[in-house]
Amino acid sequence: MKGQLGAQTGTLIRFNLKRDWKKNLIWIAVMTSLFAVIAAKFDGIYGTQAALNEIVKTLKMPAMVALFGAFTAKAPYTTAKVFATEMVVFMALFMVIMNIMIAVAATRTDEDDGRLELIRAHAVGRLAPLFAVATELTILNGFVGVLFGLGLQVAQLPGATTTGNWLIGLGLGTLGWAFGMLTLLLAQVTTSASGTTMLSYVVLGGMYIARMGTDVSHPRLLVDSLWLD
């Protein structure tokens, strides 16, 4: 029964990757180049201890805590500590947006446009399209996460460690993948691409607001990043 539900999954994976390679390549190029370039330039922006101390004061303000999360690092402050606080939240949001767009396009958009019915008219398992999209998202997020880690290794931010670089990179990849899987789940309870997109962003907004409240009211619930010396 399982084999029948997933019949031709491998064929659909190859089809999806061939169909989406340009779109995926653009996402990979934009995400990784943005992350790597900012990491490489970050030390120039906060290259002195005075500049680091000033930005840390700003990051500890309630409004900034709500936006970026609690700054839990201890002095002496380094460029890596500031980068981890400022950039990880932004890149996490970009990763979520990327996964929502790809997951919706490969599920409800294909169904709205009638492509999914054409695929299911052949000897394809009922769950094969869903398995194929999940595999595509796994490959994409894994690749982006590895490139993030490599970018941080090359940037060599003061205060960063190899363990922390890969924790940040693979952590962002895992977060994106998790939200991609959540979007696939939400696609099963909605009836259109627009409905899936709207519901996904509502869930994202709810999670972000919950994080803001926790970071402002209970910052001690957070743990220090392994990326810090």
Side-chain angles (χ1 to χ4, degrees), residues 16 20 40 45 47 49 64 73 80 83 85 89 97 105 154 166-167 178 203:
N16 286 354
D20 299 335
I45 300 173
Q49 195 61 49
M64 300 303 286
F83 180 87
T85 300
V89 173
I97 291 171
V154 173
W166 287 106
L167 178 65
V203 172

Side-chain angles (χ1 to χ4, degrees), residues 54-199:
E54 286 300 316
I55 190 60
V56 167
K57 290 180 182 178
T58 303
L59 291 173
K60 288 184 177 181
M61 296 174 61
M64 300 303 286
V65 170
L67 180 62
F68 294 113
F71 188 85
T72 58
K74 297 179 175 64
Y77 304 119
T78 65
T79 307
K81 294 176 181 180
V82 174
F83 180 87
T85 300
E86 287 191 351
M87 283 305 299
V88 169
V89 173
F90 279 134
M91 295 309 300
L93 290 174
F94 282 127
M95 289 293 290
V96 169
I97 291 171
M98 177 186 75
N99 277 274
I100 289 176
M101 294 181 66
I102 293 175
V104 172
T107 52
R108 283 302 176 191
T109 299
D110 276 356
E111 186 169 359
D112 290 349
D113 294 341
R115 288 188 291 269
L116 193 57
E117 292 303 317
L118 292 175
I119 292 173
R120 286 176 173 168
H122 297 277
V124 174
R126 187 159 57 91
L127 296 180
L130 186 62
F131 292 158
V133 177
T135 303
E136 181 182 8
L137 290 175
T138 301
I139 295 171
L140 177 61
N141 284 285
F143 193 59
V144 172
V146 169
L147 290 179
F148 279 169
L150 289 174
L152 290 174
Q153 287 289 93
V154 173
Q156 296 183 338
L157 288 175
T161 65
T162 299
T163 300
N165 289 339
W166 287 106
L167 178 65
I168 293 292
L170 297 180
L172 286 171
T174 302
L175 174 66
W177 174 86
F179 216 95
M181 298 302 107
L182 177 59
T183 303
L184 294 182
L185 175 63
L186 296 177
Q188 309 310 306
V189 298
T190 56
T191 58
S192 66
S194 60
T196 303
T197 301
M198 184 179 300
L199 183 57

Side-chain angles (χ1 to χ4, degrees), residues 1-19:
M1 185 64 177
K2 291 183 179 179
Q4 294 176 351
L5 291 176
Q8 299 299 319
T9 296
T11 301
L12 290 181
I13 291 172
R14 292 190 294 271
F15 171 77
N16 286 354
L17 292 176
K18 184 177 180 179
R19 179 193 63 180

